Amino acid sequence: MTGIALLTVPTADPGDTHAFQVLTESGYRADDLVSVIGKTEGNGCVNDFSRGLAAAIWEPRIPEAAVTVFSGGTEGVLSPHVNLFVRDEKRYPGFDRGLVAAARRSRSLDPAEIGRAAQIDTVTETVAKLLAELGVTPGDVHLVLVKCPLLTSDTITALHTAGQVPVATDTYASMGFSRAASSLGIAVALGECDRETALSALAGEADVWSARASASAGAELDDCHILVVAESPTAANPLRAVHGHMTDAIDLASVQQLLSRIAAEGGTVRQIFAKAEADPTGSVRGLRHTMLTDSDINATRHARGAVGGLLAGLKGDGAVYVSGGAEHQGPPGGGSITVIYELPTPDRNEAP
Amino acid sequence: MTGIALLTVPTADPGDTHAFQVLTESGYRADDLVSVIGKTEGNGCVNDFSRGLAAAIWEPRIPEAAVTVFSGGTEGVLSPHVNLFVRDEKRYPGFDRGLVAAARRSRSLDPAEIGRAAQIDTVTETVAKLLAELGVTPGDVHLVLVKCPLLTSDTITALHTAGQVPVATDTYASMGFSRAASSLGIAVALGECDRETALSALAGEADVWSARASASAGAELDDCHILVVAESPTAANPLRAVHGHMTDAIDLASVQQLLSRIAAEGGTVRQIFAKAEADPTGSVRGLRHTMLTDSDINATRHARGAVGGLLAGLKGDGAVYVSGGAEHQGPPGGGSITVIYELPTPDRNEAP
Amino acid sequence: MTGIALLTVPTADPGDTHAFQVLTESGYRADDLVSVIGKTEGNGCVNDFSRGLAAAIWEPRIPEAAVTVFSGGTEGVLSPHVNLFVRDEKRYPGFDRGLVAAARRSRSLDPAEIGRAAQIDTVTETVAKLLAELGVTPGDVHLVLVKCPLLTSDTITALHTAGQVPVATDTYASMGFSRAASSLGIAVALGECDRETALSALAGEADVWSARASASAGAELDDCHILVVAESPTAANPLRAVHGHMTDAIDLASVQQLLSRIAAEGGTVRQIFAKAEADPTGSVRGLRHTMLTDSDINATRHARGAVGGLLAGLKGDGAVYVSGGAEHQGPPGGGSITVIYELPTPDRNEAP
Amino acid sequence: MTGIALLTVPTADPGDTHAFQVLTESGYRADDLVSVIGKTEGNGCVNDFSRGLAAAIWEPRIPEAAVTVFSGGTEGVLSPHVNLFVRDEKRYPGFDRGLVAAARRSRSLDPAEIGRAAQIDTVTETVAKLLAELGVTPGDVHLVLVKCPLLTSDTITALHTAGQVPVATDTYASMGFSRAASSLGIAVALGECDRETALSALAGEADVWSARASASAGAELDDCHILVVAESPTAANPLRAVHGHMTDAIDLASVQQLLSRIAAEGGTVRQIFAKAEADPTGSVRGLRHTMLTDSDINATRHARGAVGGLLAGLKGDGAVYVSGGAEHQGPPGGGSITVIYELPTPDRNEAP
């Protein structure tokens, strides 16, 4: 088990490491880092070097076993920040359970494997290992975050030269296939569908999704970085999580429902992890959107901007983790959503 | 007085005139049109030809006295549509007041006048004429919508050649100056500030804004198109409006307050007219945003996407009128907001 | 036969019709128009409403039989303009041949046909009719320009709903398939390949291209607009053309060779019609380009900007017709190129 | 004196350090590096993190005294690469002169100084020191490259808070002011104008420019990185340079003239350093361009794409250093240009 604390720290730019100071001031050490989950301010697409810069700065400074996930794109009111998942085994008085988390890198994927069965399997296996490590069951899990590779012009050409067929010849499109495979790998690992169904879904012939999957792709890595967040009786801390999904990009009601559950427990929202996408039908509740016909701004940027506006309004600040491209992460046009919150210390709650 | 009805009709593209059919089916004629206020799907900036296309299609089909205002930019979940303000003098039983509206074009502005005192004065005068026409006082007004010109490379060069100094040498920046002058002209006309203060505000030396002003700029016109919407006892219809402002781009509370007032009257939201902008300080509630440092997507596009996401979530659909660039239209970083709603017919309201 | 004159007229914006005045001043009437081939200043991609605006303005003002082709995208030094192909049957003294041109609309294409065999066949048939009309053989042809439809979110969803499979689910990608089918239809009509090979090429299994094909796609039409330009002894005018291809986007030598042939005849370049594309291998002459990994600017915009810079330098002005997306229009990474030029009047050439 | 060699090495991404291997294979050590001048593949504007990534990777690996200049933007056919200026004191037989280079960082600039007299002076002083170090006179200099800071939302707000006025409130616009001040500082240092005239020019009241200045701005530094390249009899190597300017962005003739001079000497072009900008009048040779009215793509990106297309065509490959924003670096709408070339070894030249 790995009880955790969560620190959310704004960043002045993708290379800003002020968060280490906050870490220290909060009584933790870099060695305690389980995972760094950041929103950086690039385009969130193929040529997003804000992610690469953040990775270049952070990777040498964190433990070997820790993983980074940098998701590009802080459109609109979204604010660049990092979420530090820190090992905190302390047993907070008055709590008999708490959030735990573990992270791992998968093996490297060959470009020919990206967006295909091999990626599904690799993610499934790695998530399974993480569940075992944490000693939790799929039912305890609230969030599985994956950063996975994409195809560039170079890798596509190399595949062609080798007589192999890439999953996509468009680099931006390859991001979607990679996210899809990762998410289906999560769904299999969490027992939400079997491998066969996942393969059908990847082929576009089955509709499967996980409300706990959050995958983003990047050119800055060739393996998968995976973080699992779960609730466990082996820990004792005030952090809790709820998860659910938005049925479309304006599904205020579903989010309010999650927030109401938290409010009912007297909890304080600490962070929202949400996926967003342009509804593939080209409309939301019967009204046309233009995200998929806009050749100036990619659809994932539009989706983050819109859902980010809604969630930042609800959270009261822009340091929300909204990631674009929600293939099999919530229903089509919607997205998975996990809210991490903090319970009040019991003595505050109970009458004397 | 001009009692009005409001029809909001989705458009399939900027040249779509299906709305005329809806007009007819609703019992009105093109001659009844007071104003066509549309959201079109361009970039909302200088080279937005979706506005020009809509204007080219609509202008020849509407009465001489009617005006169009096409605001470009349907980022995120915003959905392209037109709002038809239609003359409807019918006295609806059970109502002793109602919404009225009137529209007018100002004189043409010389490029040297754009963004300057002359534009303030022109807008002030035209709004004053419209108030007189409607027989309403400034206190009755809920919304003044203005479409105003901008500077292009051609007009900037022409000014330079003539030895004149344009208000801005950057075409995109000229939009902001034009919106500012129009908004300050509205503020003067509504008695929210005097002319002198407006001039100081235009020079950046005073902080004045109107919660009822909504101005957008475009290359497709050289005069100002102005619509005034007010409440008046000379009409008798179920339409009403409330106005207010968002203090920042995530100010959910202020919008909810307006919606609560409507709900308290049993009203149904018909349309939201909102302005949005990137907070000029570079942060929202102390957290950095990246709208002003993004050289790929202009700040107004970001702002519409974010505020559009929030308001569409609240309205329940994406056909919201969110316009970018809120200089003197609500406080800096926030924006003016007007909600038009419909009261239930009285017999539904009254206990038997 | 239809002897022609060519007028190239700058435009102040997509809706500018000043060219009609130039037409009149040059002694022609609108009825003489065979085709209007324009470069407009939108993004040249799916949501390019500059094309739609130009079409809305021009279509009602030209003869029923004439066609427009508006190609969006004037990146870099490219300058918006229209090329008017005007019927001019006058027999210019001293010439025994000349350029001829004819234009036609194909039947409307069903969205399911776009980018498929049916589009190839439709273009082939229409080009064949035009050759017959002109009384020329494929060997006489220097240029076949096609404007063809694309798929939007709406048409893609409609196809899915009808249980049909669109050629692409990405709207931008559909432009490439449509251009490909049109270009292969031209190749078949000009006897450059047979239908079977064209179908293989469309499936990516054969490498076929025409140096005389120039196709661009747009949302503003649902049929194909086609113009054929050829040389014929039935006309007698000073216009001539040469065609060839650039082997890549920096193939200065091939263009210089064409220009040298013109110079050798004492000709004056009147217009260059060129296609451009990002090399699909991701590199040009062994050096990586970034057009296909740039998620901010679409590859066709990059390609037009670069090739436009080269050709404008050679022509000496930016009113060059460079169109992006050169599938089967010249070799991969290169593009077809046709230069129309004017011979001097014979008496200038000949010694007394 | 510092005789130099020049290595131009393609990069696979902004963080690629393969160039170190090439350096070693060429017989040099990292300690020999005088300067690394790279083209990286970001947008070349405010939020270009490709520059920041390259700087983060390179800075710790080069000598304290060496400087990096990363210029973002490889639009069109431009290819990402680094130009390594390497100390090479070897006296190549048969040469009695050669290229020399020296580099230095200026003091840090306060945000309030950016784009103002203090920046001019700082650059002037640093260039003067470099000339002294090299023992060359202004007449020997072929190129002065400067990387200088810009203003971000954060620094602009900080200035406002401190009651200071930033040179620009638009972050993108601040880049132009910074480039202008650097270039005028170069002009003063090279004796091309006096300080007073430079100040007038900065205020827009004098037209001064240097054909040897090349300045680019970035968020990744707060001082100025400066490289001077000159010809000197103290060195003996086969490298030479010519400089001149393009009068506009399609000025093929001026470039050909420089290349002819090189060809006349039997030289081989090694690299072209050019500046490019959108003509501020909005037209090139009387024809309108749309770079300044395009709100989707910034003008500097357009300019690099176009001029890059022309120069890559002339050089025969895309690894050309074209930098956008040519304020006072060549005439308005044009740009400075320096070509470094290599003379043949004398024995190849001379008849036996």
Side-chain angles (χ1 to χ4, degrees), chain B residues 267-288:
Chain B
T268 306
V269 171
R270 290 291 304 280
Q271 185 54 294
I272 303 178
F273 294 87
K275 290 296 303 189
E277 75 176 8
D279 195 301
T281 64
S283 65
V284 178
R285 300 192 193 174
L287 288 175
R288 185 170 67 100

mmCIF file of all heavy atoms in Angstrom, chain B residues 267-288:
data_model
loop_
_atom_site.group_PDB
_atom_site.id
_atom_site.type_symbol
_atom_site.label_atom_id
_atom_site.label_comp_id
_atom_site.label_asym_id
_atom_site.label_seq_id
_atom_site.Cartn_x
_atom_site.Cartn_y
_atom_site.Cartn_z
ATOM 1 N N GLY B 267 -39.872 31.892 -15.073
ATOM 2 C CA GLY B 267 -39.492 32.164 -16.460
ATOM 3 C C GLY B 267 -38.652 31.069 -17.086
ATOM 4 O O GLY B 267 -38.047 30.244 -16.400
ATOM 5 N N THR B 268 -38.628 31.068 -18.405
ATOM 6 C CA THR B 268 -37.817 30.132 -19.182
ATOM 7 C C THR B 268 -36.758 30.924 -19.942
ATOM 8 O O THR B 268 -37.094 31.877 -20.647
ATOM 9 C CB THR B 268 -38.695 29.397 -20.223
ATOM 10 O OG1 THR B 268 -39.788 28.798 -19.538
ATOM 11 C CG2 THR B 268 -37.887 28.343 -20.972
ATOM 12 N N VAL B 269 -35.499 30.506 -19.790
ATOM 13 C CA VAL B 269 -34.417 31.219 -20.485
ATOM 14 C C VAL B 269 -34.579 31.056 -21.990
ATOM 15 O O VAL B 269 -34.734 29.950 -22.499
ATOM 16 C CB VAL B 269 -33.038 30.685 -20.048
ATOM 17 C CG1 VAL B 269 -31.933 31.270 -20.923
ATOM 18 C CG2 VAL B 269 -32.791 31.003 -18.574
ATOM 19 N N ARG B 270 -34.559 32.174 -22.685
ATOM 20 C CA ARG B 270 -34.675 32.127 -24.140
ATOM 21 C C ARG B 270 -33.314 32.346 -24.798
ATOM 22 O O ARG B 270 -32.972 31.746 -25.801
ATOM 23 C CB ARG B 270 -35.690 33.162 -24.625
ATOM 24 C CG ARG B 270 -37.135 32.806 -24.260
ATOM 25 C CD ARG B 270 -37.617 31.593 -25.048
ATOM 26 N NE ARG B 270 -37.462 31.842 -26.469
ATOM 27 C CZ ARG B 270 -38.291 32.565 -27.208
ATOM 28 N NH1 ARG B 270 -39.391 33.051 -26.664
ATOM 29 N NH2 ARG B 270 -38.053 32.776 -28.479
ATOM 30 N N GLN B 271 -32.548 33.248 -24.274
ATOM 31 C CA GLN B 271 -31.207 33.460 -24.830
ATOM 32 C C GLN B 271 -30.329 34.217 -23.836
ATOM 33 O O GLN B 271 -30.831 35.011 -23.050
ATOM 34 C CB GLN B 271 -31.274 34.238 -26.162
ATOM 35 C CG GLN B 271 -29.948 34.395 -26.879
ATOM 36 C CD GLN B 271 -29.210 33.076 -27.127
ATOM 37 O OE1 GLN B 271 -28.782 32.409 -26.173
ATOM 38 N NE2 GLN B 271 -29.056 32.694 -28.370
ATOM 39 N N ILE B 272 -29.034 33.911 -23.906
ATOM 40 C CA ILE B 272 -28.048 34.618 -23.083
ATOM 41 C C ILE B 272 -27.119 35.379 -24.013
ATOM 42 O O ILE B 272 -26.591 34.809 -24.966
ATOM 43 C CB ILE B 272 -27.226 33.625 -22.228
ATOM 44 C CG1 ILE B 272 -28.148 32.764 -21.350
ATOM 45 C CG2 ILE B 272 -26.201 34.366 -21.368
ATOM 46 C CD1 ILE B 272 -27.404 31.715 -20.514
ATOM 47 N N PHE B 273 -26.959 36.679 -23.767
ATOM 48 C CA PHE B 273 -26.014 37.496 -24.526
ATOM 49 C C PHE B 273 -24.884 37.870 -23.579
ATOM 50 O O PHE B 273 -25.100 38.619 -22.625
ATOM 51 C CB PHE B 273 -26.691 38.762 -25.054
ATOM 52 C CG PHE B 273 -27.766 38.494 -26.069
ATOM 53 C CD1 PHE B 273 -29.079 38.246 -25.681
ATOM 54 C CD2 PHE B 273 -27.456 38.444 -27.425
ATOM 55 C CE1 PHE B 273 -30.074 37.984 -26.629
ATOM 56 C CE2 PHE B 273 -28.445 38.181 -28.380
ATOM 57 C CZ PHE B 273 -29.750 37.943 -27.971
ATOM 58 N N ALA B 274 -23.696 37.335 -23.843
ATOM 59 C CA ALA B 274 -22.593 37.571 -22.909
ATOM 60 C C ALA B 274 -21.342 38.024 -23.632
ATOM 61 O O ALA B 274 -21.102 37.666 -24.784
ATOM 62 C CB ALA B 274 -22.300 36.295 -22.124
ATOM 63 N N LYS B 275 -20.556 38.818 -22.962
ATOM 64 C CA LYS B 275 -19.229 39.204 -23.450
ATOM 65 C C LYS B 275 -18.189 38.470 -22.614
ATOM 66 O O LYS B 275 -18.409 38.181 -21.437
ATOM 67 C CB LYS B 275 -19.023 40.719 -23.302
ATOM 68 C CG LYS B 275 -19.858 41.549 -24.240
ATOM 69 C CD LYS B 275 -19.530 41.356 -25.717
ATOM 70 C CE LYS B 275 -18.089 41.624 -26.053
ATOM 71 N NZ LYS B 275 -17.841 41.648 -27.528
ATOM 72 N N ALA B 276 -17.052 38.194 -23.230
ATOM 73 C CA ALA B 276 -16.000 37.459 -22.535
ATOM 74 C C ALA B 276 -14.658 38.006 -22.971
ATOM 75 O O ALA B 276 -14.493 38.456 -24.097
ATOM 76 C CB ALA B 276 -16.084 35.971 -22.892
ATOM 77 N N GLU B 277 -13.699 37.959 -22.065
ATOM 78 C CA GLU B 277 -12.351 38.366 -22.460
ATOM 79 C C GLU B 277 -11.311 37.703 -21.566
ATOM 80 O O GLU B 277 -11.618 37.223 -20.465
ATOM 81 C CB GLU B 277 -12.189 39.887 -22.396
ATOM 82 C CG GLU B 277 -12.067 40.469 -21.017
ATOM 83 C CD GLU B 277 -11.814 41.992 -21.054
ATOM 84 O OE1 GLU B 277 -11.876 42.603 -22.121
ATOM 85 O OE2 GLU B 277 -11.569 42.552 -19.980
ATOM 86 N N ALA B 278 -10.096 37.648 -22.082
ATOM 87 C CA ALA B 278 -8.975 37.157 -21.295
ATOM 88 C C ALA B 278 -8.639 38.216 -20.273
ATOM 89 O O ALA B 278 -8.460 39.391 -20.616
ATOM 90 C CB ALA B 278 -7.779 36.908 -22.195
ATOM 91 N N ASP B 279 -8.554 37.824 -19.023
ATOM 92 C CA ASP B 279 -8.220 38.804 -17.993
ATOM 93 C C ASP B 279 -6.907 39.493 -18.356
ATOM 94 O O ASP B 279 -5.882 38.832 -18.551
ATOM 95 C CB ASP B 279 -8.092 38.112 -16.632
ATOM 96 C CG ASP B 279 -8.121 39.107 -15.495
ATOM 97 O OD1 ASP B 279 -7.252 39.997 -15.459
ATOM 98 O OD2 ASP B 279 -9.038 39.026 -14.669
ATOM 99 N N PRO B 280 -6.924 40.842 -18.473
ATOM 100 C CA PRO B 280 -5.722 41.547 -18.925
ATOM 101 C C PRO B 280 -4.534 41.425 -17.974
ATOM 102 O O PRO B 280 -3.402 41.697 -18.378
ATOM 103 C CB PRO B 280 -6.191 42.998 -19.062
ATOM 104 C CG PRO B 280 -7.475 43.097 -18.334
ATOM 105 C CD PRO B 280 -8.075 41.744 -18.317
ATOM 106 N N THR B 281 -4.765 40.998 -16.736
ATOM 107 C CA THR B 281 -3.637 40.823 -15.819
ATOM 108 C C THR B 281 -2.896 39.517 -16.061
ATOM 109 O O THR B 281 -1.850 39.274 -15.473
ATOM 110 C CB THR B 281 -4.123 40.793 -14.350
ATOM 111 O OG1 THR B 281 -4.954 39.629 -14.181
ATOM 112 C CG2 THR B 281 -4.901 42.033 -13.996
ATOM 113 N N GLY B 282 -3.442 38.652 -16.893
ATOM 114 C CA GLY B 282 -2.782 37.377 -17.151
ATOM 115 C C GLY B 282 -3.133 36.301 -16.146
ATOM 116 O O GLY B 282 -2.601 35.197 -16.208
ATOM 117 N N SER B 283 -4.038 36.605 -15.227
ATOM 118 C CA SER B 283 -4.447 35.553 -14.299
ATOM 119 C C SER B 283 -5.911 35.712 -13.921
ATOM 120 O O SER B 283 -6.497 36.785 -14.059
ATOM 121 C CB SER B 283 -3.562 35.559 -13.049
ATOM 122 O OG SER B 283 -3.745 36.753 -12.335
ATOM 123 N N VAL B 284 -6.505 34.634 -13.481
ATOM 124 C CA VAL B 284 -7.881 34.618 -13.014
ATOM 125 C C VAL B 284 -7.858 34.107 -11.576
ATOM 126 O O VAL B 284 -7.346 33.006 -11.324
ATOM 127 C CB VAL B 284 -8.754 33.697 -13.887
ATOM 128 C CG1 VAL B 284 -10.186 33.653 -13.355
ATOM 129 C CG2 VAL B 284 -8.752 34.154 -15.346
ATOM 130 N N ARG B 285 -8.361 34.886 -10.673
ATOM 131 C CA ARG B 285 -8.350 34.529 -9.236
ATOM 132 C C ARG B 285 -6.962 34.059 -8.791
ATOM 133 O O ARG B 285 -6.810 33.047 -8.112
ATOM 134 C CB ARG B 285 -9.397 33.463 -8.929
ATOM 135 C CG ARG B 285 -10.793 33.954 -9.264
ATOM 136 C CD ARG B 285 -11.884 33.080 -8.723
ATOM 137 N NE ARG B 285 -13.147 33.456 -9.355
ATOM 138 C CZ ARG B 285 -14.296 32.816 -9.200
ATOM 139 N NH1 ARG B 285 -14.334 31.756 -8.412
ATOM 140 N NH2 ARG B 285 -15.376 33.223 -9.810
ATOM 141 N N GLY B 286 -5.943 34.783 -9.262
ATOM 142 C CA GLY B 286 -4.594 34.506 -8.798
ATOM 143 C C GLY B 286 -3.867 33.396 -9.524
ATOM 144 O O GLY B 286 -2.681 33.172 -9.298
ATOM 145 N N LEU B 287 -4.562 32.709 -10.415
ATOM 146 C CA LEU B 287 -3.903 31.648 -11.172
ATOM 147 C C LEU B 287 -3.690 32.099 -12.608
ATOM 148 O O LEU B 287 -4.616 32.573 -13.267
ATOM 149 C CB LEU B 287 -4.731 30.360 -11.126
ATOM 150 C CG LEU B 287 -4.738 29.639 -9.774
ATOM 151 C CD1 LEU B 287 -5.694 28.449 -9.809
ATOM 152 C CD2 LEU B 287 -3.324 29.162 -9.429
ATOM 153 N N ARG B 288 -2.478 31.882 -13.086
ATOM 154 C CA ARG B 288 -2.094 32.302 -14.416
ATOM 155 C C ARG B 288 -2.935 31.628 -15.500
ATOM 156 O O ARG B 288 -3.183 30.436 -15.457
ATOM 157 C CB ARG B 288 -0.618 31.908 -14.637
ATOM 158 C CG ARG B 288 -0.001 32.367 -15.929
ATOM 159 C CD ARG B 288 1.497 32.149 -15.934
ATOM 160 N NE ARG B 288 1.848 30.751 -15.936
ATOM 161 C CZ ARG B 288 2.224 30.062 -17.025
ATOM 162 N NH1 ARG B 288 2.323 30.683 -18.191
ATOM 163 N NH2 ARG B 288 2.526 28.796 -16.954
#
